[in-house]
Amino acid sequence: MTTVVNDMDRPVRTTFLPFAAPSIGEEEIAEVLDTLRSGWLTTGPKVKRFEEEFAARVGAKYAVAVNSCTAALHLALEAVGVGEGDEVLTTPMTFAATGEVIRYLGATPVLVDIDPVTMNIDPQRLTEVAKKAWRAKAVIPVHIGGLMCDMDPIMATAREHGLAVIEDAAHTFPSTYKGRMVGTISNITCFSFYSTKTITTGEGGMATTDDEALADRMRMMSLHGISKNAWTRYTAAGSWKYDILFPGFKYNMPDIAAALGLAQLRKADAFHARRAEIATRYTQAFGQLPDCLETPPGAAAGDLHSWHLYVLRLHAERLNIGRDEFIEELKKANIGVSVHFIPLHVHPYYQETYGYSPNDFPNAYQSYLRSISLPIYPKMTDDDVESVIAAVTTICRTHVK
Ligand SMILES: Cc1ncc(COP(=O)(O)O)c(C=O)c1O
């Protein structure tokens, strides 16, 4: 990064800092080359190893690798029996994927507002909504940014109402809740290995479970619903014969992606340590600006927050610019940022289909209006981190009323 110093003696970037970037090293390149040279590109030995190593790392009995977290969520809902006319409880504060998979199966998403501090689904409200949602079959808690939802009351509500719990853990590797690793708590947990995530396979996802029947169902449906081990049919041990048992999907992970995943998995703890270090530095620096900003909560003592996202929330009423202008100022300072999320109920599809208006879920809506996600990834240098702090601090000091 080239910097000059501004009139407040703070560094100003002269090159753009992207919001997110993967950390790809020689190990990933070597692992992918090994796959290319092996001649086996699609689902095969590397996927099997990636599944085994991921399951062991999480502490789950089964892991099913697929080509996205969206696919994992879809397969998970299908496996627990969600279908036409059912309801699925979830949060509005999430990405498109969480809502659309419910619609794929002809079910209805029933949204439950968030806790204004954690931005995760509010367990108290979930209990109230579950009492009335008599067609509900499942609940999808989403661990925003890598901070785990309060799972004990969510699991208790699910047990009381006979709901399956599918965790959207797209942001959450590695995170823990009361000492338990994500991926071992509910019926099925779905992870994302999209390029911006804490570990990546380019595109990819994983579903973990301790239930063999659910794992088998997801595996079969991830590959056209055809009989077990269909992917071995081109090996010496395989057979050309197969049976289509159900109309499944094409969601299998290729070995090229799993090769990346294997190398990334070995680095996951080091990646996490760097993310946590950046989060600590941000929170220390932004804690000096309480008039302007609210910093995100960390995990409870002894637990892990994956720090996939670092979401600042502005005290907009104390600033003479709004969130969107704040983002523009950051852009001018060469800092790439994002917003997580535009809640589902604010999007045209959900408004037109279910008649939602923004204040139907006021905590999610207000949180959205004030949020800015800052760059946080292992490849960032200390200077990059300081340049983000300098830019945010300058904008706050310039625009606080
Ligand atoms: C909360 C959440 N769930 C699901 C997904 C979907 O993940 P994928 O891109 O791997 O399908 C994302 C992606 O960003 C996400 O943020």
Side-chain angles (χ1 to χ4, degrees):
M1 167 184 85
T2 322
T3 57
V4 291
V5 171
N6 72 3
D7 54 6
M8 287 165 126
D9 258 2
R10 296 211 171 86
V12 178
R13 297 187 66 89
T14 53
T15 56
F16 186 70
L17 179 70
F19 168 65
S23 292
I24 301 296
E26 290 306 317
E27 301 81 356
E28 284 79 0
I29 293 167
E31 198 74 69
V32 171
L33 283 179
D34 180 60
T35 301
L36 295 176
R37 291 194 176 109
S38 79
W40 190 279
L41 306 187
T42 186
T43 311
K46 293 244 168 146
V47 166
K48 190 161 183 294
R49 249 180 64 210
F50 186 38
E51 288 178 340
E52 285 165 1
E53 290 185 19
F54 193 85
R57 175 68 180 79
V58 162
K61 279 195 187 152
Y62 307 97
V64 179
V66 286
N67 57 13
S68 69
C69 180
T70 309
L73 289 165
H74 185 194
L75 291 168
L77 287 180
E78 198 276 341
V80 300
V82 169
E84 197 75 37
D86 291 334
E87 291 175 332
V88 177
L89 311 180
T90 194
T91 168
M93 187 53 93
T94 189
F95 186 56
T98 324
E100 78 201 17
V101 294
I102 300 169
R103 297 297 301 127
Y104 289 177
L105 293 159
T108 300
V110 175
L111 303 180
V112 179
D113 206 358
I114 59 166
D115 174 305
V117 176
T118 64
M119 293 170 71
N120 283 329
I121 195 165
D122 179 340
Q124 191 79 42
R125 280 173 212 272
L126 178 70
T127 305
E128 286 156 26
V129 175
K131 281 182 196 153
K132 291 180 237 148
W134 57 273
R135 299 169 87 157
K137 271 267 178 67
V139 53
I140 310 180
V142 181
H143 310 298
I144 289 292
L147 176 67
M148 295 279 295
C149 294
D150 192 1
M151 290 304 291
D152 281 348
I154 294 172
M155 295 303 290
T157 297
R159 263 193 304 276
E160 191 181 338
H161 297 279
L163 308 175
V165 180
I166 313 286
E167 284 166 85
D168 182 333
H171 300 178
T172 322
F173 183 78
S175 297
T176 60
Y177 172 76
K178 297 190 177 173
R180 283 174 281 162
M181 183 70 187
V182 63
T184 59
I185 297 168
S186 62
N187 300 85
I188 302 173
T189 307
C190 301
F191 297 88
S192 173
F193 308 130
Y194 180 68
S195 295
T196 59
K197 296 302 194 306
T198 51
I199 64 169
T200 185
T201 60
E203 297 278 356
M206 189 79 83
T208 62
T209 182
D210 279 350
D211 184 321
E212 189 177 8
L214 292 178
D216 285 349
R217 176 78 188 179
M218 290 190 288
R219 194 177 297 288
M220 178 185 59
M221 293 303 277
S222 74
L223 199 58
H224 305 294
I226 59 185
S227 48
K228 236 179 173 179
N229 292 335
W231 62 266
T232 61
R233 70 185 192 275
Y234 298 117
T235 65
S239 156
W240 59 269
K241 275 192 179 169
Y242 60 90
D243 293 314
I244 300 168
L245 304 178
F246 297 93
F249 313 103
K250 184 67 169 77
Y251 284 163
N252 55 305
M253 176 183 277
D255 262 22
I256 299 174
L260 269 175
L262 282 166
Q264 292 266 293
L265 194 54
R266 293 195 281 270
K267 299 178 179 176
D269 289 334
F271 287 165
H272 177 253
R274 179 61 181 153
R275 285 179 181 274
E277 195 174 54
I278 297 171
T280 302
R281 174 71 190 114
Y282 276 165
T283 296
Q284 183 213 351
F286 300 136
Q288 316 293 314
L289 302 164
D291 283 352
C292 180
L293 304 171
E294 188 182 320
T295 54
D303 272 325
L304 295 183
H305 184 317
S306 75
W307 292 112
H308 165 56
L309 299 177
Y310 190 93
V311 181
L312 276 181
R313 278 178 292 177
L314 304 182
H315 292 305
E317 70 288 354
R318 297 187 211 158
L319 294 170
N320 63 17
I321 55 170
R323 188 271 313 271
D324 295 2
E325 291 157 293
F326 203 109
I327 290 177
E328 282 310 307
E329 293 291 317
L330 282 169
K331 224 186 210 167
K332 280 187 216 154
N334 274 321
I335 311 287
V337 297
S338 189
V339 172
H340 295 87
F341 285 98
I342 307 170
L344 291 183
H345 73 287
V346 176
H347 289 281
Y349 172 76
Y350 289 93
Q351 298 211 337
E352 283 157 23
T353 309
Y354 301 107
Y356 288 135
S357 56
N359 279 316
D360 286 348
F361 305 99
N363 292 344
Y365 186 54
Q366 291 306 322
S367 213
Y368 153 66
L369 292 178
R370 302 196 292 125
S371 292
I372 300 178
S373 300
L374 297 181
I376 181 167
Y377 46 96
K379 229 165 75 170
M380 286 173 70
T381 64
D382 288 348
D383 279 354
D384 289 333
V385 174
E386 294 309 314
S387 72
V388 175
I389 292 169
V392 170
T393 304
T394 301
I395 298 166
C396 281
R397 295 256 157 87
T398 310
H399 294 284
V400 73
K401 281 184 200 164

